[in-house]
PDB file of all heavy atoms in Angstrom:
ATOM      1  N   TYR A 156      12.329  14.481  34.786  1.00 94.00           N
ATOM      2  CA  TYR A 156      13.332  13.436  34.601  1.00 94.00           C
ATOM      3  C   TYR A 156      12.779  12.104  35.121  1.00 94.00           C
ATOM      4  O   TYR A 156      12.041  12.089  36.119  1.00 94.00           O
ATOM      5  CB  TYR A 156      14.612  13.761  35.372  1.00 94.00           C
ATOM      6  CG  TYR A 156      15.352  14.974  34.870  1.00 94.00           C
ATOM      7  CD1 TYR A 156      15.077  16.241  35.384  1.00 94.00           C
ATOM      8  CD2 TYR A 156      16.340  14.858  33.902  1.00 94.00           C
ATOM      9  CE1 TYR A 156      15.759  17.364  34.943  1.00 94.00           C
ATOM     10  CE2 TYR A 156      17.040  15.974  33.450  1.00 94.00           C
ATOM     11  CZ  TYR A 156      16.739  17.224  33.971  1.00 94.00           C
ATOM     12  OH  TYR A 156      17.417  18.320  33.525  1.00 94.00           O
ATOM     13  N   PRO A 157      13.133  11.001  34.503  1.00 95.00           N
ATOM     14  CA  PRO A 157      12.737   9.703  35.048  1.00 95.00           C
ATOM     15  C   PRO A 157      13.312   9.523  36.452  1.00 95.00           C
ATOM     16  O   PRO A 157      14.421   9.997  36.748  1.00 95.00           O
ATOM     17  CB  PRO A 157      13.354   8.698  34.062  1.00 95.00           C
ATOM     18  CG  PRO A 157      13.600   9.471  32.816  1.00 95.00           C
ATOM     19  CD  PRO A 157      13.892  10.877  33.249  1.00 95.00           C
ATOM     20  N   ALA A 158      12.570   8.836  37.313  1.00 94.00           N
ATOM     21  CA  ALA A 158      12.994   8.660  38.704  1.00 94.00           C
ATOM     22  C   ALA A 158      14.358   7.990  38.799  1.00 94.00           C
ATOM     23  O   ALA A 158      15.199   8.385  39.621  1.00 94.00           O
ATOM     24  CB  ALA A 158      11.951   7.854  39.464  1.00 94.00           C
ATOM     25  N   GLU A 159      14.617   6.997  37.941  1.00 94.00           N
ATOM     26  CA  GLU A 159      15.891   6.291  38.025  1.00 94.00           C
ATOM     27  C   GLU A 159      17.056   7.177  37.600  1.00 94.00           C
ATOM     28  O   GLU A 159      18.169   7.034  38.095  1.00 94.00           O
ATOM     29  CB  GLU A 159      15.838   5.009  37.193  1.00 94.00           C
ATOM     30  CG  GLU A 159      14.962   3.927  37.808  1.00 94.00           C
ATOM     31  CD  GLU A 159      15.246   3.739  39.297  1.00 94.00           C
ATOM     32  OE1 GLU A 159      16.422   3.538  39.670  1.00 94.00           O
ATOM     33  OE2 GLU A 159      14.294   3.795  40.107  1.00 94.00           O
ATOM     34  N   GLU A 160      16.793   8.093  36.675  1.00 96.00           N
ATOM     35  CA  GLU A 160      17.843   9.036  36.289  1.00 96.00           C
ATOM     36  C   GLU A 160      18.168   9.978  37.450  1.00 96.00           C
ATOM     37  O   GLU A 160      19.335  10.286  37.714  1.00 96.00           O
ATOM     38  CB  GLU A 160      17.405   9.831  35.056  1.00 96.00           C
ATOM     39  CG  GLU A 160      18.485  10.735  34.490  1.00 96.00           C
ATOM     40  CD  GLU A 160      18.072  11.412  33.202  1.00 96.00           C
ATOM     41  OE1 GLU A 160      17.179  10.879  32.515  1.00 96.00           O
ATOM     42  OE2 GLU A 160      18.641  12.483  32.896  1.00 96.00           O
ATOM     43  N   LEU A 161      17.129  10.427  38.140  1.00 96.00           N
ATOM     44  CA  LEU A 161      17.347  11.271  39.318  1.00 96.00           C
ATOM     45  C   LEU A 161      18.058  10.491  40.424  1.00 96.00           C
ATOM     46  O   LEU A 161      18.947  11.031  41.095  1.00 96.00           O
ATOM     47  CB  LEU A 161      16.008  11.795  39.834  1.00 96.00           C
ATOM     48  CG  LEU A 161      15.341  12.897  39.019  1.00 96.00           C
ATOM     49  CD1 LEU A 161      13.950  13.181  39.551  1.00 96.00           C
ATOM     50  CD2 LEU A 161      16.188  14.165  39.042  1.00 96.00           C
ATOM     51  N   ARG A 162      17.683   9.242  40.593  1.00 97.00           N
ATOM     52  CA  ARG A 162      18.319   8.411  41.625  1.00 97.00           C
ATOM     53  C   ARG A 162      19.827   8.303  41.369  1.00 97.00           C
ATOM     54  O   ARG A 162      20.648   8.412  42.275  1.00 97.00           O
ATOM     55  CB  ARG A 162      17.683   7.023  41.640  1.00 97.00           C
ATOM     56  CG  ARG A 162      18.207   6.125  42.769  1.00 97.00           C
ATOM     57  CD  ARG A 162      17.542   4.752  42.742  1.00 97.00           C
ATOM     58  NE  ARG A 162      16.102   4.864  42.853  1.00 97.00           N
ATOM     59  CZ  ARG A 162      15.463   5.069  44.003  1.00 97.00           C
ATOM     60  NH1 ARG A 162      16.152   5.198  45.136  1.00 97.00           N
ATOM     61  NH2 ARG A 162      14.148   5.160  44.030  1.00 97.00           N
ATOM     62  N   GLU A 163      20.158   8.084  40.098  1.00 96.00           N
ATOM     63  CA  GLU A 163      21.574   7.970  39.743  1.00 96.00           C
ATOM     64  C   GLU A 163      22.292   9.303  39.926  1.00 96.00           C
ATOM     65  O   GLU A 163      23.407   9.355  40.457  1.00 96.00           O
ATOM     66  CB  GLU A 163      21.702   7.496  38.291  1.00 96.00           C
ATOM     67  CG  GLU A 163      23.138   7.277  37.858  1.00 96.00           C
ATOM     68  CD  GLU A 163      23.234   6.716  36.451  1.00 96.00           C
ATOM     69  OE1 GLU A 163      22.186   6.385  35.862  1.00 96.00           O
ATOM     70  OE2 GLU A 163      24.366   6.617  35.946  1.00 96.00           O
ATOM     71  N   SER A 164      21.645  10.400  39.514  1.00 96.00           N
ATOM     72  CA  SER A 164      22.269  11.720  39.628  1.00 96.00           C
ATOM     73  C   SER A 164      22.513  12.104  41.084  1.00 96.00           C
ATOM     74  O   SER A 164      23.535  12.717  41.416  1.00 96.00           O
ATOM     75  CB  SER A 164      21.392  12.781  38.958  1.00 96.00           C
ATOM     76  OG  SER A 164      21.270  12.545  37.577  1.00 96.00           O
ATOM     77  N   LEU A 165      21.565  11.745  41.961  1.00 96.00           N
ATOM     78  CA  LEU A 165      21.673  12.098  43.377  1.00 96.00           C
ATOM     79  C   LEU A 165      22.380  11.026  44.198  1.00 96.00           C
ATOM     80  O   LEU A 165      22.544  11.184  45.411  1.00 96.00           O
ATOM     81  CB  LEU A 165      20.277  12.352  43.962  1.00 96.00           C
ATOM     82  CG  LEU A 165      19.517  13.546  43.387  1.00 96.00           C
ATOM     83  CD1 LEU A 165      18.081  13.574  43.906  1.00 96.00           C
ATOM     84  CD2 LEU A 165      20.228  14.852  43.725  1.00 96.00           C
ATOM     85  N   ASP A 166      22.759   9.923  43.523  1.00 95.00           N
ATOM     86  CA  ASP A 166      23.453   8.816  44.185  1.00 95.00           C
ATOM     87  C   ASP A 166      22.639   8.278  45.364  1.00 95.00           C
ATOM     88  O   ASP A 166      23.151   8.080  46.468  1.00 95.00           O
ATOM     89  CB  ASP A 166      24.841   9.268  44.663  1.00 95.00           C
ATOM     90  CG  ASP A 166      25.743   8.095  45.025  1.00 95.00           C
ATOM     91  OD1 ASP A 166      25.514   6.984  44.501  1.00 95.00           O
ATOM     92  OD2 ASP A 166      26.654   8.284  45.858  1.00 95.00           O
ATOM     93  N   LEU A 167      21.358   8.041  45.108  1.00 96.00           N
ATOM     94  CA  LEU A 167      20.462   7.523  46.144  1.00 96.00           C
ATOM     95  C   LEU A 167      20.383   6.010  46.074  1.00 96.00           C
ATOM     96  O   LEU A 167      20.249   5.446  44.981  1.00 96.00           O
ATOM     97  CB  LEU A 167      19.054   8.096  45.969  1.00 96.00           C
ATOM     98  CG  LEU A 167      18.871   9.595  46.202  1.00 96.00           C
ATOM     99  CD1 LEU A 167      17.460  10.004  45.824  1.00 96.00           C
ATOM    100  CD2 LEU A 167      19.168   9.963  47.650  1.00 96.00           C
ATOM    101  N   PRO A 168      20.427   5.329  47.203  1.00 94.00           N
ATOM    102  CA  PRO A 168      20.271   3.864  47.199  1.00 94.00           C
ATOM    103  C   PRO A 168      18.853   3.477  46.799  1.00 94.00           C
ATOM    104  O   PRO A 168      17.916   4.286  46.905  1.00 94.00           O
ATOM    105  CB  PRO A 168      20.578   3.476  48.647  1.00 94.00           C
ATOM    106  CG  PRO A 168      20.396   4.717  49.445  1.00 94.00           C
ATOM    107  CD  PRO A 168      20.696   5.871  48.544  1.00 94.00           C
ATOM    108  N   PRO A 169      18.670   2.241  46.362  1.00 95.00           N
ATOM    109  CA  PRO A 169      17.359   1.801  45.844  1.00 95.00           C
ATOM    110  C   PRO A 169      16.209   1.901  46.841  1.00 95.00           C
ATOM    111  O   PRO A 169      15.055   2.032  46.434  1.00 95.00           O
ATOM    112  CB  PRO A 169      17.607   0.337  45.450  1.00 95.00           C
ATOM    113  CG  PRO A 169      19.081   0.239  45.245  1.00 95.00           C
ATOM    114  CD  PRO A 169      19.700   1.200  46.217  1.00 95.00           C
ATOM    115  N   HIS A 170      16.512   1.832  48.140  1.00 94.00           N
ATOM    116  CA  HIS A 170      15.423   1.791  49.124  1.00 94.00           C
ATOM    117  C   HIS A 170      14.865   3.178  49.456  1.00 94.00           C
ATOM    118  O   HIS A 170      13.864   3.281  50.169  1.00 94.00           O
ATOM    119  CB  HIS A 170      15.887   1.109  50.418  1.00 94.00           C
ATOM    120  CG  HIS A 170      16.894   1.909  51.195  1.00 94.00           C
ATOM    121  ND1 HIS A 170      18.241   1.900  50.904  1.00 94.00           N
ATOM    122  CD2 HIS A 170      16.750   2.759  52.252  1.00 94.00           C
ATOM    123  CE1 HIS A 170      18.878   2.688  51.748  1.00 94.00           C
ATOM    124  NE2 HIS A 170      18.000   3.223  52.566  1.00 94.00           N
ATOM    125  N   ILE A 171      15.488   4.245  48.955  1.00 96.00           N
ATOM    126  CA  ILE A 171      14.991   5.603  49.224  1.00 96.00           C
ATOM    127  C   ILE A 171      13.920   5.947  48.187  1.00 96.00           C
ATOM    128  O   ILE A 171      14.217   6.053  47.000  1.00 96.00           O
ATOM    129  CB  ILE A 171      16.115   6.647  49.172  1.00 96.00           C
ATOM    130  CG1 ILE A 171      17.233   6.311  50.160  1.00 96.00           C
ATOM    131  CG2 ILE A 171      15.554   8.044  49.427  1.00 96.00           C
ATOM    132  CD1 ILE A 171      16.801   6.340  51.602  1.00 96.00           C
ATOM    133  N   PRO A 172      12.682   6.158  48.611  1.00 97.00           N
ATOM    134  CA  PRO A 172      11.622   6.513  47.641  1.00 97.00           C
ATOM    135  C   PRO A 172      11.845   7.902  47.035  1.00 97.00           C
ATOM    136  O   PRO A 172      12.339   8.815  47.693  1.00 97.00           O
ATOM    137  CB  PRO A 172      10.340   6.487  48.492  1.00 97.00           C
ATOM    138  CG  PRO A 172      10.678   5.690  49.708  1.00 97.00           C
ATOM    139  CD  PRO A 172      12.136   5.962  49.962  1.00 97.00           C
ATOM    140  N   ILE A 173      11.490   8.019  45.756  1.00 98.00           N
ATOM    141  CA  ILE A 173      11.465   9.308  45.067  1.00 98.00           C
ATOM    142  C   ILE A 173      10.032   9.536  44.597  1.00 98.00           C
ATOM    143  O   ILE A 173       9.458   8.680  43.917  1.00 98.00           O
ATOM    144  CB  ILE A 173      12.415   9.331  43.863  1.00 98.00           C
ATOM    145  CG1 ILE A 173      13.863   9.103  44.306  1.00 98.00           C
ATOM    146  CG2 ILE A 173      12.312  10.664  43.119  1.00 98.00           C
ATOM    147  CD1 ILE A 173      14.855   9.017  43.155  1.00 98.00           C
ATOM    148  N   VAL A 174       9.455  10.661  44.980  1.00 98.00           N
ATOM    149  CA  VAL A 174       8.075  10.962  44.609  1.00 98.00           C
ATOM    150  C   VAL A 174       8.013  12.335  43.940  1.00 98.00           C
ATOM    151  O   VAL A 174       8.933  13.135  44.068  1.00 98.00           O
ATOM    152  CB  VAL A 174       7.130  10.931  45.839  1.00 98.00           C
ATOM    153  CG1 VAL A 174       7.091   9.543  46.460  1.00 98.00           C
ATOM    154  CG2 VAL A 174       7.562  11.966  46.880  1.00 98.00           C
ATOM    155  N   ASP A 175       6.939  12.585  43.218  1.00 97.00           N
ATOM    156  CA  ASP A 175       6.706  13.884  42.584  1.00 97.00           C
ATOM    157  C   ASP A 175       5.658  14.658  43.367  1.00 97.00           C
ATOM    158  O   ASP A 175       4.737  14.061  43.946  1.00 97.00           O
ATOM    159  CB  ASP A 175       6.213  13.697  41.148  1.00 97.00           C
ATOM    160  CG  ASP A 175       7.267  13.058  40.254  1.00 97.00           C
ATOM    161  OD1 ASP A 175       8.379  13.595  40.195  1.00 97.00           O
ATOM    162  OD2 ASP A 175       6.967  12.020  39.624  1.00 97.00           O
ATOM    163  N   CYS A 176       5.806  15.961  43.376  1.00 98.00           N
ATOM    164  CA  CYS A 176       4.781  16.805  43.996  1.00 98.00           C
ATOM    165  C   CYS A 176       4.823  18.186  43.370  1.00 98.00           C
ATOM    166  O   CYS A 176       5.768  18.548  42.662  1.00 98.00           O
ATOM    167  CB  CYS A 176       4.960  16.890  45.515  1.00 98.00           C
ATOM    168  SG  CYS A 176       6.349  17.902  46.069  1.00 98.00           S
ATOM    169  N   VAL A 177       3.768  18.942  43.621  1.00 98.00           N
ATOM    170  CA  VAL A 177       3.714  20.361  43.285  1.00 98.00           C
ATOM    171  C   VAL A 177       3.361  21.049  44.600  1.00 98.00           C
ATOM    172  O   VAL A 177       2.244  20.884  45.103  1.00 98.00           O
ATOM    173  CB  VAL A 177       2.668  20.655  42.197  1.00 98.00           C
ATOM    174  CG1 VAL A 177       2.603  22.145  41.911  1.00 98.00           C
ATOM    175  CG2 VAL A 177       2.984  19.872  40.928  1.00 98.00           C
ATOM    176  N   ALA A 178       4.311  21.764  45.169  1.00 98.00           N
ATOM    177  CA  ALA A 178       4.161  22.267  46.539  1.00 98.00           C
ATOM    178  C   ALA A 178       2.848  22.998  46.812  1.00 98.00           C
ATOM    179  O   ALA A 178       2.254  22.815  47.875  1.00 98.00           O
ATOM    180  CB  ALA A 178       5.349  23.153  46.906  1.00 98.00           C
ATOM    181  N   PRO A 179       2.325  23.838  45.889  1.00 98.00           N
ATOM    182  CA  PRO A 179       1.061  24.522  46.185  1.00 98.00           C
ATOM    183  C   PRO A 179      -0.162  23.604  46.108  1.00 98.00           C
ATOM    184  O   PRO A 179      -1.252  24.007  46.510  1.00 98.00           O
ATOM    185  CB  PRO A 179       0.969  25.604  45.100  1.00 98.00           C
ATOM    186  CG  PRO A 179       2.334  25.696  44.502  1.00 98.00           C
ATOM    187  CD  PRO A 179       2.931  24.340  44.651  1.00 98.00           C
ATOM    188  N   ASP A 180       0.026  22.394  45.586  1.00 98.00           N
ATOM    189  CA  ASP A 180      -1.085  21.459  45.395  1.00 98.00           C
ATOM    190  C   ASP A 180      -1.204  20.542  46.600  1.00 98.00           C
ATOM    191  O   ASP A 180      -0.306  19.737  46.876  1.00 98.00           O
ATOM    192  CB  ASP A 180      -0.870  20.641  44.126  1.00 98.00           C
ATOM    193  CG  ASP A 180      -1.954  19.604  43.921  1.00 98.00           C
ATOM    194  OD1 ASP A 180      -3.139  19.988  43.867  1.00 98.00           O
ATOM    195  OD2 ASP A 180      -1.621  18.406  43.846  1.00 98.00           O
ATOM    196  N   ARG A 181      -2.308  20.649  47.320  1.00 98.00           N
ATOM    197  CA  ARG A 181      -2.471  19.888  48.559  1.00 98.00           C
ATOM    198  C   ARG A 181      -2.440  18.389  48.325  1.00 98.00           C
ATOM    199  O   ARG A 181      -1.879  17.633  49.122  1.00 98.00           O
ATOM    200  CB  ARG A 181      -3.782  20.285  49.236  1.00 98.00           C
ATOM    201  CG  ARG A 181      -3.951  19.727  50.632  1.00 98.00           C
ATOM    202  CD  ARG A 181      -5.235  20.233  51.279  1.00 98.00           C
ATOM    203  NE  ARG A 181      -5.270  19.920  52.699  1.00 98.00           N
ATOM    204  CZ  ARG A 181      -5.681  18.759  53.194  1.00 98.00           C
ATOM    205  NH1 ARG A 181      -6.084  17.801  52.371  1.00 98.00           N
ATOM    206  NH2 ARG A 181      -5.667  18.543  54.501  1.00 98.00           N
ATOM    207  N   VAL A 182      -3.043  17.930  47.242  1.00 98.00           N
ATOM    208  CA  VAL A 182      -3.158  16.487  46.999  1.00 98.00           C
ATOM    209  C   VAL A 182      -1.788  15.844  46.827  1.00 98.00           C
ATOM    210  O   VAL A 182      -1.456  14.841  47.467  1.00 98.00           O
ATOM    211  CB  VAL A 182      -4.056  16.214  45.772  1.00 98.00           C
ATOM    212  CG1 VAL A 182      -4.035  14.723  45.417  1.00 98.00           C
ATOM    213  CG2 VAL A 182      -5.486  16.658  46.049  1.00 98.00           C
ATOM    214  N   THR A 183      -0.955  16.414  45.944  1.00 98.00           N
ATOM    215  CA  THR A 183       0.355  15.809  45.698  1.00 98.00           C
ATOM    216  C   THR A 183       1.296  16.000  46.886  1.00 98.00           C
ATOM    217  O   THR A 183       2.122  15.121  47.171  1.00 98.00           O
ATOM    218  CB  THR A 183       0.994  16.386  44.427  1.00 98.00           C
ATOM    219  OG1 THR A 183       1.143  17.812  44.558  1.00 98.00           O
ATOM    220  CG2 THR A 183       0.142  16.086  43.198  1.00 98.00           C
ATOM    221  N   SER A 184       1.175  17.117  47.575  1.00 98.00           N
ATOM    222  CA  SER A 184       2.023  17.349  48.749  1.00 98.00           C
ATOM    223  C   SER A 184       1.656  16.389  49.875  1.00 98.00           C
ATOM    224  O   SER A 184       2.533  15.844  50.564  1.00 98.00           O
ATOM    225  CB  SER A 184       1.894  18.794  49.217  1.00 98.00           C
ATOM    226  OG  SER A 184       2.371  19.690  48.234  1.00 98.00           O
ATOM    227  N   LEU A 185       0.364  16.170  50.063  1.00 98.00           N
ATOM    228  CA  LEU A 185      -0.084  15.228  51.085  1.00 98.00           C
ATOM    229  C   LEU A 185       0.347  13.810  50.738  1.00 98.00           C
ATOM    230  O   LEU A 185       0.745  13.028  51.616  1.00 98.00           O
ATOM    231  CB  LEU A 185      -1.604  15.306  51.226  1.00 98.00           C
ATOM    232  CG  LEU A 185      -2.248  14.428  52.305  1.00 98.00           C
ATOM    233  CD1 LEU A 185      -1.634  14.709  53.669  1.00 98.00           C
ATOM    234  CD2 LEU A 185      -3.753  14.659  52.339  1.00 98.00           C
ATOM    235  N   ALA A 186       0.307  13.462  49.455  1.00 98.00           N
ATOM    236  CA  ALA A 186       0.747  12.131  49.019  1.00 98.00           C
ATOM    237  C   ALA A 186       2.229  11.929  49.336  1.00 98.00           C
ATOM    238  O   ALA A 186       2.647  10.839  49.752  1.00 98.00           O
ATOM    239  CB  ALA A 186       0.484  11.950  47.530  1.00 98.00           C
ATOM    240  N   ALA A 187       3.038  12.976  49.141  1.00 98.00           N
ATOM    241  CA  ALA A 187       4.467  12.878  49.455  1.00 98.00           C
ATOM    242  C   ALA A 187       4.682  12.650  50.945  1.00 98.00           C
ATOM    243  O   ALA A 187       5.511  11.823  51.352  1.00 98.00           O
ATOM    244  CB  ALA A 187       5.181  14.149  48.996  1.00 98.00           C
ATOM    245  N   LEU A 188       3.933  13.356  51.786  1.00 98.00           N
ATOM    246  CA  LEU A 188       4.052  13.183  53.236  1.00 98.00           C
ATOM    247  C   LEU A 188       3.579  11.800  53.679  1.00 98.00           C
ATOM    248  O   LEU A 188       4.141  11.201  54.597  1.00 98.00           O
ATOM    249  CB  LEU A 188       3.260  14.273  53.952  1.00 98.00           C
ATOM    250  CG  LEU A 188       3.870  15.675  53.873  1.00 98.00           C
ATOM    251  CD1 LEU A 188       2.849  16.723  54.311  1.00 98.00           C
ATOM    252  CD2 LEU A 188       5.127  15.771  54.735  1.00 98.00           C
TER     253      LEU A 188
END
Side-chain angles (χ1 to χ4, degrees):
Y156 294 90
E159 288 313 307
E160 186 175 336
L161 286 173
R162 185 180 302 281
E163 183 176 353
S164 297
L165 295 172
D166 195 24
L167 293 173
H170 69 277
I171 303 296
I173 299 176
V174 297
D175 295 306
C176 73
V177 178
D180 177 57
R181 189 176 191 276
V182 173
T183 59
S184 296
L185 183 56
L188 289 166

